[in-house]
Amino acid sequence: MSNENLDPDSKGLWNRARMICISMMQGDEKRTRAERNFSMIQSVAREGDTFKIFTLNKLSSERFEKEYGEDLRKSFLLAGADSSVKIEITFDETAKHEIVIEKKEEQPAKPAASHEKTETFISTMPLKEYYTFEEFVEGPSNSYVFAAAKGVAKNPGAKALNPLFIHGGTGLGKTHIMQAIGNEIKRTYPKYAVCYLTAEALLNEYVNALTQGRIHDFRERYRKIDVLLIDDIQFIAKNMQNFQEEFFNTFNALTNADKQIVLTSDVPPKDIPGIEERLISRFEGGMLQEVESPGYETRLAILKKKSEGMDPPIRDTTLKFIAANIKSHVRAMEGALSKVNIYANLDPKMQMTDANLANILKDFIEKEKSRKKLTIDEVKNCVCRKYGVTLEQILSTERTQSIVTPRQLAMFISRKFTTRSLPEIAKHFEKSHATIIHGVKNITNRLDVDPELKQTLEEILDELGFTMGDMVDGNM
Ligand code: ADP
Ligand code: MG
């Protein structure tokens, strides 16, 4: 996203309004979705009292207006905007969401011959300009990743760090670090073609190329990139054998030419469900790094950084309160911070005592507590009762559907509604990581098409004191 057109005040206002609007969304799922949608905004400009927010195209403008227009207008007011400030959600027909990887040759002698194959564009998603190394807080939980990322940015394509594979739980900064690498390389090597895509977006590109008979073109293009950043590579396995093959070849072509590849994933390469052996060995062939959950000091430092420039300023005691009470992931900490900011704006005289903070942040804290409290045993017992199966059956390897469903559902709930780690869950079910991930994925897919299963899940969650809205988005 680029806000280069904004003066510092307007930029501050826009950043605050954006954060407030995202934090107004109820539930993790909606918030994560809003985050994603806001990150797809192409640029923001100010003309007089009007903020123009440019999205990808007409359709996304309409959707964005419908989904966030009203809340965003409120958020501007909450962020301290004058009531004369207007916002317009629009799109720029002339903007290209592509990077040029080869300048077209000027051929003034010939008129532009449209049938000539001179297309040299490649799709990429915009990098958030504030995802930089400077904005990233280093701590014991991420210092190795941070060092490796800086190494890559300094010397893209160096063998020892190629590919750089970053894995770790959701909301711990993988996307931030990856985009920081992209931003830094673009700054220091302006000629480099840097391409950032989620694995899902790359898959879409590939499928489009296939259906339009442009596969050769797709190959050519992606092999001209200098730095390929693929986020959430765990999606690669979505029953797409051909895609894995294509990716394997692109991967080899790029690394053989000393082009840099960076990948992120929720899980280490070997635990990506359905992944081919040869890809695992390629992914493990460079630098493998894990981001872990930050400890208290790092959480506090992150909060300090994120609260810089907030108006009114957030006090240290407030930051300490948040750091001590919200631990599960950085995204939740950011949500808590914006919520405090909203309240501080609504009632500037309010004293931010621990009691007031506990009240304002009740939702966040309760969720944190119940996640911590909920054990895998409770989940298993509750599921067994509901389905009338025994614990032995759940732990067995029996493949009958009447056992497989409760088994996988229990895995799903353990993964999405507790703070237990993947290894812990695997141990409790006496299964491998990959089996757990496969089970969780299977339930995720079925929930979209099986209302009965969804109903059962909701009933079980109700017994455990949760709702669907409490789900940790992204934990595979
Ligand atoms: P992931 O991709 O691992 O799910 P993100 O990169 O999307 O996580 O991070 C979620 C949010 O937390 C982002 O807004 C990011 O800026 C912030 N964040 C995470 N870790 C850090 C850190 N160490 N320093 C600063 N911000 C961080
Ligand atoms: Mg991410």
Side-chain angles (χ1 to χ4, degrees):
M1 181 171 54
S2 101
N3 313 326
E4 286 112 60
N5 310 333
L6 292 178
D7 61 87
D9 280 352
S10 306
K11 195 162 160 179
L13 184 58
W14 158 245
N15 280 338
R16 284 199 303 280
R18 177 176 52 83
M19 263 178 89
I20 290 173
C21 188
I22 292 172
S23 71
M24 277 162 104
M25 302 297 129
Q26 296 290 324
D28 282 0
E29 216 170 335
K30 271 202 175 155
R31 241 190 329 267
T32 310
R33 204 177 120 76
E35 237 168 41
R36 198 174 314 135
N37 288 333
F38 271 81
S39 73
M40 297 295 286
I41 289 173
Q42 296 299 301
S43 64
V44 180
R46 184 169 184 164
E47 285 173 17
D49 274 343
T50 306
F51 275 83
K52 287 193 152 180
I53 293 159
F54 292 97
T55 64
L56 271 175
N57 51 36
K58 186 160 185 283
L59 188 67
S60 50
S61 276
E62 286 167 0
R63 283 206 189 130
F64 199 90
E65 172 65 53
K66 197 160 156 232
E67 201 162 354
Y68 305 109
E70 207 183 316
D71 286 335
L72 190 57
R73 288 183 179 89
K74 269 191 231 153
S75 303
F76 265 90
L77 292 176
L78 286 170
D82 233 59
S83 56
S84 56
V85 166
K86 289 183 206 56
I87 69 163
E88 190 183 317
I89 297 162
T90 179
F91 65 102
D92 181 357
E93 276 171 282
T94 60
K96 284 249 180 317
H97 314 296
E98 295 160 326
I99 45 174
V100 186
I101 46 177
E102 232 178 39
K103 281 260 167 355
K104 260 192 208 176
E105 292 284 28
E106 292 288 332
Q107 289 176 314
K110 276 196 237 164
S114 57
H115 58 273
E116 258 180 63
K117 275 251 163 208
T118 48
E119 272 176 37
T120 47
F121 295 110
I122 191 156
S123 294
T124 177
M125 287 162 82
L127 296 175
K128 290 189 196 178
E129 64 175 24
Y130 54 93
Y131 277 178
T132 59
F133 289 136
E134 291 75 40
E135 293 294 321
F136 193 79
V137 176
E138 195 187 348
S141 56
N142 59 37
S143 57
Y144 290 115
V145 182
F146 195 60
K150 282 191 151 173
V152 164
K154 196 160 174 211
N155 222 336
K159 283 255 178 328
L161 296 175
N162 203 13
L164 171 60
F165 191 104
I166 304 172
H167 66 97
T170 187
L172 297 182
K174 298 183 299 295
T175 298
H176 184 139
I177 290 234
M178 172 176 253
Q179 294 203 9
I181 296 174
N183 278 320
E184 182 69 13
I185 294 180
K186 280 170 95 169
R187 200 173 62 79
T188 45
Y189 299 90
K191 293 232 167 83
Y192 275 29
V194 177
C195 174
Y196 167 82
L197 283 174
T198 60
E200 254 183 324
L202 183 65
L203 175 64
N204 280 339
E205 286 285 309
Y206 171 69
V207 171
N208 285 341
L210 269 185
T211 50
Q212 293 163 13
R214 291 189 298 104
I215 198 66
H216 179 71
D217 192 35
F218 173 89
R219 270 176 208 147
E220 290 282 297
R221 290 178 186 203
Y222 278 90
R223 284 167 202 183
K224 282 184 185 149
I225 289 169
D226 296 300
V227 180
L228 180 62
L229 310 170
I230 303 293
D231 211 351
D232 292 321
I233 190 74
Q234 72 270 6
F235 281 108
I236 195 170
K238 270 192 167 171
N239 307 320
M240 290 293 295
Q241 224 60 33
N242 295 344
F243 182 53
Q244 290 201 37
E245 164 100 31
E246 191 66 44
F247 190 75
F248 180 74
N249 292 331
T250 304
F251 185 99
N252 288 341
L254 286 175
T255 46
N256 287 341
D258 290 331
K259 304 300 178 69
Q260 181 70 44
I261 295 180
V262 183
L263 306 161
T264 72
S265 160
D266 300 29
V267 288
K270 63 178 170 25
D271 292 333
I272 296 176
I275 191 173
E276 294 175 12
E277 275 302 322
R278 54 183 182 164
L279 273 178
I280 300 180
S281 77
R282 285 295 187 284
F283 290 174
E284 289 178 343
M287 174 64 73
L288 193 63
Q289 287 291 349
E290 181 176 6
V291 265
E292 292 171 58
S293 298
Y296 175 78
E297 294 301 329
T298 311
R299 292 202 297 277
L300 189 58
I302 293 174
L303 285 163
K304 282 215 169 97
K305 180 128 246 167
K306 299 275 172 190
S307 65
E308 272 168 18
M310 277 193 169
D311 186 30
I314 308 242
R315 294 203 306 179
D316 263 9
T317 46
T318 304
L319 299 180
K320 285 183 179 153
F321 182 91
I322 300 177
N325 286 285
I326 297 169
K327 307 171 189 171
S328 52
H329 48 78
V330 182
R331 205 172 276 133
M333 286 164 36
E334 285 180 343
L337 198 58
S338 336
K339 194 149 184 203
V340 170
N341 185 233
I342 294 177
Y343 276 77
N345 274 294
L346 286 175
D347 180 2
K349 290 202 202 74
M350 185 195 279
Q351 294 291 318
M352 290 296 170
T353 57
D354 280 6
N356 277 343
L357 286 168
N359 198 23
I360 294 173
L361 300 176
K362 205 165 60 201
D363 290 357
F364 286 95
I365 296 168
E366 266 171 17
K367 204 175 291 169
E368 188 86 20
K369 276 198 193 133
S370 40
R371 279 222 167 89
K372 264 234 132 57
K373 268 203 335 241
L374 183 63
T375 65
I376 301 171
D377 283 335
E378 283 173 289
V379 174
K380 284 192 291 197
N381 289 335
C382 191
V383 172
C384 283
R385 265 200 317 275
K386 193 93 200 163
Y387 278 88
V389 297
T390 65
L391 206 52
E392 289 71 37
Q393 286 173 311
I394 291 272
L395 299 181
S396 73
T397 48
E398 211 179 313
R399 301 275 185 155
T400 355
Q401 201 53 45
S402 59
I403 306 293
V404 171
T405 299
R407 179 187 298 139
Q408 293 187 336
L409 195 60
M411 292 172 178
F412 176 89
I413 298 173
S414 303
R415 187 79 180 122
K416 300 272 190 180
F417 294 87
T418 78
T419 54
R420 313 293 145 178
S421 66
L422 191 58
E424 252 181 298
I425 298 171
K427 203 166 133 218
H428 270 271
F429 284 91
E430 298 170 14
K431 301 279 180 306
S432 68
H433 292 191
T435 307
I436 305 292
I437 293 168
H438 171 76
V440 172
K441 200 154 200 182
N442 196 24
I443 296 291
T444 308
N445 292 340
R446 280 179 58 191
L447 284 173
D448 283 340
V449 292
D450 186 346
E452 205 176 319
L453 181 67
K454 194 157 177 216
Q455 168 84 26
T456 312
L457 171 63
E458 280 168 353
E459 286 167 15
I460 294 172
L461 287 177
D462 193 42
E463 277 185 44
L464 295 170
F466 286 90
T467 68
M468 288 296 278
D470 297 324
M471 186 151 80
V472 179
D473 209 47
N475 253 8
M476 289 247 313

